[in-house]
Amino acid sequence: MPRRPTPLLTRTRVRAVTALALLAVTATACGDAGELRGAGPTATADGPARLWPKLPPASSPAFDIGEVDIQTVKGVPVPGDDIREVDPVAVVRAEIARSPADYEGPKAPYRGTEGRMAECGGPQDGAGTGCPVLEPYYRDLTGDGRPEMTLGFRLLPGEMTAVRVYTVEKHRLVQVMAYDDALTGIEIAGQSVILRAPSEVPGYEYRLQWSWDTDQGAMLLTSDEMLRTGKRPGPHRPSGTPSASSR
């Protein structure tokens, strides 16, 4: 006689019968302790409710938060179209020259940065003791197989940090992201740059994510949220005005 196959459904039923038998034995031995009890009524799911439906929709943004910040960096060469050969110190000096009101003069908010640039070394050397230019990082953020340069420099005399992302387009260095804030951490994940900043609320921090957008050809602010850190920091958020996000 051929052997009868045992389908999955049959095996499942066998296990179910066995489980019920064991449950019955347990219930008999322990009284009511093994009985199933209802958890109560299930809450009704609430969909999103639209507020003030007659309020006329805005046609333009109220604040400029720098959604698309694209600038060609003039005066900084890109040898062989290789962004790794670009001098990061020269890039920061070009920005200072482009915005003298922010960096030059005794009343400039970031006058300390301009004063410390003299302590930066030669090309590809921004790691001096007093140099405000941080070591650049190279990662493909646009998905074209070539690296972009993520560059940071201190905005002195305060506690803020400038974060910039550059790519190469048509033999030119192009800035595709710019953000200034008091930061506690910076990360790169995939095609995104993630910035963390302290919050005035104890135990929380801001998390901002900038991601590459092919249509705009720039890094866009795709996420701005407040997250619990699990600890209560002592000092409050350092004073400063973020350049691209008004929370």
Side-chain angles (χ1 to χ4, degrees), residues 165-235:
V165 174
Y166 301 92
T167 189
V168 178
E169 294 181 2
K170 298 179 180 179
H171 317 295
R172 299 176 300 177
L173 186 68
V174 179
Q175 175 186 288
V176 294
M177 175 207 158
Y179 186 78
D180 305 333
D181 204 347
L183 301 176
T184 58
I186 306 173
E187 304 169 1
I188 295 179
Q191 292 179 278
S192 299
V193 177
I194 302 170
L195 309 178
R196 298 180 183 274
S199 167
E200 298 90 344
V201 181
Y204 289 82
E205 69 176 4
Y206 292 109
R207 181 183 183 275
L208 300 93
Q209 179 170 318
W210 298 77
S211 302
W212 174 254
D213 186 275
T214 303
D215 293 336
Q216 298 298 326
M219 305 287 290
L220 301 185
L221 180 59
T222 55
S223 176
D224 185 353
E225 55 186 343
M226 177 183 284
L227 301 176
R228 179 183 289 276
T229 62
K231 58 183 179 180
R232 291 180 171 270

Side-chain angles (χ1 to χ4, degrees), residues 1-24:
M1 175 182 295
R3 186 179 61 179
R4 185 175 60 183
T6 304
L8 178 61
L9 180 59
T10 302
R11 294 196 299 269
T12 302
R13 287 176 177 172
V14 170
R15 288 196 297 267
V17 171
T18 303
L20 288 175
L22 292 175
L23 180 61

Side-chain angles (χ1 to χ4, degrees), residues 137-156:
Y137 286 86
Y138 302 93
R139 183 76 65 86
D140 180 11
L141 297 174
T142 64
D144 63 355
R146 300 182 303 171
E148 275 64 50
M149 177 172 67
T150 301
L151 180 63
F153 57 95
R154 302 290 292 165
L155 296 174
L156 306 171

Side-chain angles (χ1 to χ4, degrees), residues 53-94:
K54 296 183 179 180
L55 185 69
S59 58
S60 61
F63 304 101
D64 178 14
I65 63 172
E67 291 96 336
V68 179
D69 193 347
I70 304 174
Q71 295 187 35
T72 298
V73 182
K74 298 180 179 179
V76 178
V78 187
D81 287 348
D82 186 355
I83 201 167
R84 294 179 181 273
E85 297 300 322
V86 173
D87 179 11
V89 174
V91 175
V92 177
R93 284 177 174 150

